[in-house]
């Protein structure tokens, strides 16, 4: 019996991110959904018909901070252990430290598709955590 593809939600308000990531991630075998705001992301997460296997989350969204969504997800039993990869151009160490504390892995923008696919595989436990990030 074949397993269904892992379902990733990409939360980013930049349209070009979706145009680039969707075909790339689908070619890698993922099912991809998109949200461009916190409200859209919460709707997808809460929809019973769309269980998620992982989340790619931007921190700067038009209706608030991705950190707020990250905190909310960690506070709910059903999503407390959801693998989350933060995609950010954020440079403020306090914000990055908070994302790590909440259990998210980080990829800084701009990123290469190869690096992103490796980080997603690491997030799912398909690859070991690189030594320079195993803190």
């Amino acid at each position: 019996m074949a397993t269904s593809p892992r379902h990733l939600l990409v939360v980013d308000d930049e349209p070009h991110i979706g145009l680039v990531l969707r075909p790339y991630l689908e070619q890698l075998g993922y099912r991809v959904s998109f949200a461009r705001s916190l409200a859209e992301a919460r709707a997808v997460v809460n929809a019973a018909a769309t269980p998620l296997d992982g989340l790619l989350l931007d921190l700067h969204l038009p209706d608030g901070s991705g950190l707020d969504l990250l905190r909310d997800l960690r506070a709910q039993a059903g999503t407390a252990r959801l693998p989350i990869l933060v995609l950010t151009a954020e440079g403020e160490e306090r914000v990055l430290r908070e994302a790590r504390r909440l259990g998210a892995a980080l990829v800084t923008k701009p990123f290469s598709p190869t690096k992103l696919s490796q980080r997603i595989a690491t997030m799912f436990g398909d690859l070991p955590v690189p030594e320079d990030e195993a803190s």
Side-chain angles (χ1 to χ4, degrees), residues 73-96:
L73 293 172
R74 294 303 186 230
Q76 298 174 31
T79 56
R81 300 184 60 80
L82 181 70
I84 298 174
L85 182 60
V86 168
L87 306 175
T88 186
E90 176 65 56
E92 189 175 337
E93 188 56 37
R94 175 189 60 79
V95 174
L96 299 176

Side-chain angles (χ1 to χ4, degrees), residues 30 105 115-130 133:
Y30 297 106
K115 180 177 181 175
L116 180 63
S117 63
Q118 289 172 340
R119 292 307 307 270
I120 292 170
T122 300
M123 177 175 78
F124 287 129
D126 298 335
L127 287 175
V129 176
E133 297 171 15

Side-chain angles (χ1 to χ4, degrees), residues 6-52:
R6 287 182 170 138
H7 184 191
L8 294 174
L9 173 61
V10 178
V11 183
D12 199 305
D13 62 326
E14 296 178 38
H16 72 275
I17 294 290
L19 291 174
V20 171
L21 287 185
R22 181 183 296 273
Y24 182 75
L25 293 172
E26 287 177 346
Q27 183 179 20
L28 293 174
Y30 297 106
R31 183 173 151 229
V32 182
S33 297
F34 281 93
R36 291 206 166 103
S37 67
L38 292 175
E40 286 180 23
R42 286 184 172 106
V44 172
V45 169
N46 292 326
T50 57
L52 296 175

